[in-house]
Amino acid sequence: MDEKVDFIVVGSGIAGLRAGVGLARSGRVVVLTKDRVSESNTEYAQGGIAVVLNDDDDISLHFQDTIDAGAGLCDEEAVQVLVEEGPGYIVELIDHGAEFDREGDELLFTREAAHSRRRILHAHGDATGREIVRALVAWSRKTEGVEFRPHACTQSLIIKDGRAVGVTFVEPGTNRVRALYGRAVVLATGGAGQLYLHTTNPDVATGDGQAMAYRAGAIMADMEFIQFHPTALAVEGAPRFLLSEAMRGEGGVLRNPAGERFMPGYDERAELAPRDVVSRSIYFEMERGGWPFVHLDLRGLDRDFTRKRFPQIHATCMLYNIDITRDLIPVSPAAHYIMGGVKTDASGRTSIPGLYAAGEVACTGVHGANRLASNSLLEGLVFGARAAAAALDEAPSEIEPGEPRDWDYGYEADWRIDDGTRADVKRVMWDEIGIVRDGQRLQEAIGRLEAIAARQLNTRSWNFVTLARLVAEAALSRLESRGAHYRRDYPERDDKQYRRQTLQRRP
């Protein structure tokens, strides 16, 4: 049976969990998540969370580092909100049981690329995201009014008279598509790394929220800006396991297979340059030498320190006979984070009344054209809370249920992205819409994606292809290189024409 609640949160990463506990102050909240509750990009975040809580740091420095990394496209109001409100939300999280690494009573901070200070909090060495999820889930379970629905995959938004009034989702056990209605909907579905053949993201990161919002008529922003993490494990047969930015922050260096350290030749900041610069440098170095990977070298660090600082990474690499304290580690870039998404203001409001978005699904403007390392967890925390506050303030006391338009609604649905569609899209995205792009290949990619979209597809497969087309079309329209978007045919940054967001809306 279809159901009515007060508030609906889609996604259980840091943004969704923080939104859920905020909304529970004023009614019943259902958190829908298509896998287990803790499965999200947040859980896999290793490096840490950036915040000004260190005595030698300052909010103005965090602000400027974020602006500099964003290559001229950051929304300064959103960045100011992030860096000013972030410390309070971190203290709140600690008060609710989050255990960050300490030396005695003092919090430990590390430094990552493009940060001017050591301001990265971490937990259990390299398990920061997992610890944050643990604390937030525990907080949520103690909060009256929060209900989790795991293994309930959301398919589409329900719109009534221009307002979001609910969602359709796949009911666990029956595989029937049902409707859930609420006074407001908060999208916190995370990223879209699974669009790419090689990604650090888990299987759930298929961009459902972005596609659902676009299909419902929401404005999308900056979809061309895909961040590739420079250092993912590049071992045949192994997943593209992320090797944290903090490994370079602690002194690791990059070498080509000839043993040469190459980053100083590409940028004066070397290994601590922003992620877009490091990823492109690795790409060009691999292209120059015809190599399938380069090496991350931690051999100059104290071995005991390395094992203690990166216990999960050390254990995982040992499964592939790589000892990160002794061996060169083969790495190459992989899709990691999407700066674009559903356009929101600084309170998570989208262009559709009743619909809010927070975390990686959203485009607040915080990240601009290139996310500063470890700002994403802080963004999810801060804007998850702000979206909840706005929804509480603005939600009507009652809503009129709409008519679901999901073509799978009411039926037992094959709700998975079909394997052929997934494989074809991932290959197009990796080959044509990757780290380095050009107009001809982008045009060809759009043609290939249109052919895939013309097939008979279920709802989620259509969403997947549609999202890929949004990225391709946004990339084709930006005739410059900026941040994570690099065009061989337009290698220069053009502030006169393109210091603005790329906006897309369904016709």
Side-chain angles (χ1 to χ4, degrees), residues 183-417:
R183 293 158 53 204
V185 178
V186 178
L187 283 180
T189 51
Q194 285 296 324
L195 286 174
Y196 285 87
L197 186 63
H198 301 298
T199 179
T200 62
N201 289 186
D203 287 343
V204 295
T206 50
D208 303 273
Q210 288 101 328
M212 288 189 297
Y214 173 77
R215 194 169 141 219
I219 295 173
M220 312 297 290
D222 293 343
M223 294 298 291
E224 67 269 39
F225 294 113
I226 307 290
Q227 186 172 77
F228 290 79
H229 198 285
T231 53
L233 185 64
V235 173
E236 189 173 352
R240 286 303 182 100
F241 181 71
L242 186 149
L243 300 177
S244 171
E245 192 100 15
M247 298 175 82
R248 285 176 282 125
E250 296 289 1
V253 299
L254 290 164
R255 301 186 186 279
N256 61 32
E260 302 159 336
R261 186 182 178 193
F262 60 87
M263 274 307 304
Y266 288 95
D267 191 281
E268 63 183 9
R269 294 162 292 185
E271 283 80 8
L272 294 182
R275 285 179 175 176
D276 64 309
V277 174
V278 180
S279 291
R280 271 196 308 278
S281 300
I282 292 173
Y283 178 96
F284 288 132
E285 189 70 8
M286 288 163 53
E287 185 178 61
R288 182 186 69 81
W291 295 305
F293 52 75
V294 296
H295 289 116
L296 180 61
D297 184 3
L298 272 64
R299 296 176 301 177
L301 280 62
D302 179 81
R303 293 181 61 200
D304 289 337
F305 168 80
T306 299
R307 277 194 296 265
K308 182 179 179 181
R309 179 68 179 82
F310 304 109
Q312 283 196 98
I313 294 172
H314 181 265
T316 300
C317 288
M318 286 298 289
L319 296 176
Y320 301 98
N321 297 315
I322 298 169
D323 182 345
I324 65 172
T325 70
R326 295 177 179 270
D327 301 327
L328 292 169
I329 312 163
V331 297
S332 62
H336 183 59
Y337 190 92
I338 181 166
M339 274 73 73
V342 187
K343 182 174 173 57
T344 73
D345 66 9
S347 292
R349 301 179 188 93
T350 73
S351 57
I352 299 176
L355 178 66
Y356 303 81
E360 194 173 351
V361 68
C363 182
T364 60
V366 159
H367 306 305
N370 184 50
R371 175 175 67 94
L372 181 66
S374 290
N375 266 355
S376 54
L377 290 177
L378 191 67
E379 183 201 28
L381 192 65
V382 170
F383 290 95
R386 289 176 68 87
L392 287 176
D393 186 52
E394 298 163 359
S397 57
E398 288 288 335
I399 53 102
E400 286 292 326
E403 183 66 30
R405 296 182 179 180
D406 191 320
W407 51 82
D408 294 327
Y409 173 68
Y411 297 95
E412 183 176 341
D414 181 5
W415 56 272
R416 297 163 298 181
I417 302 169

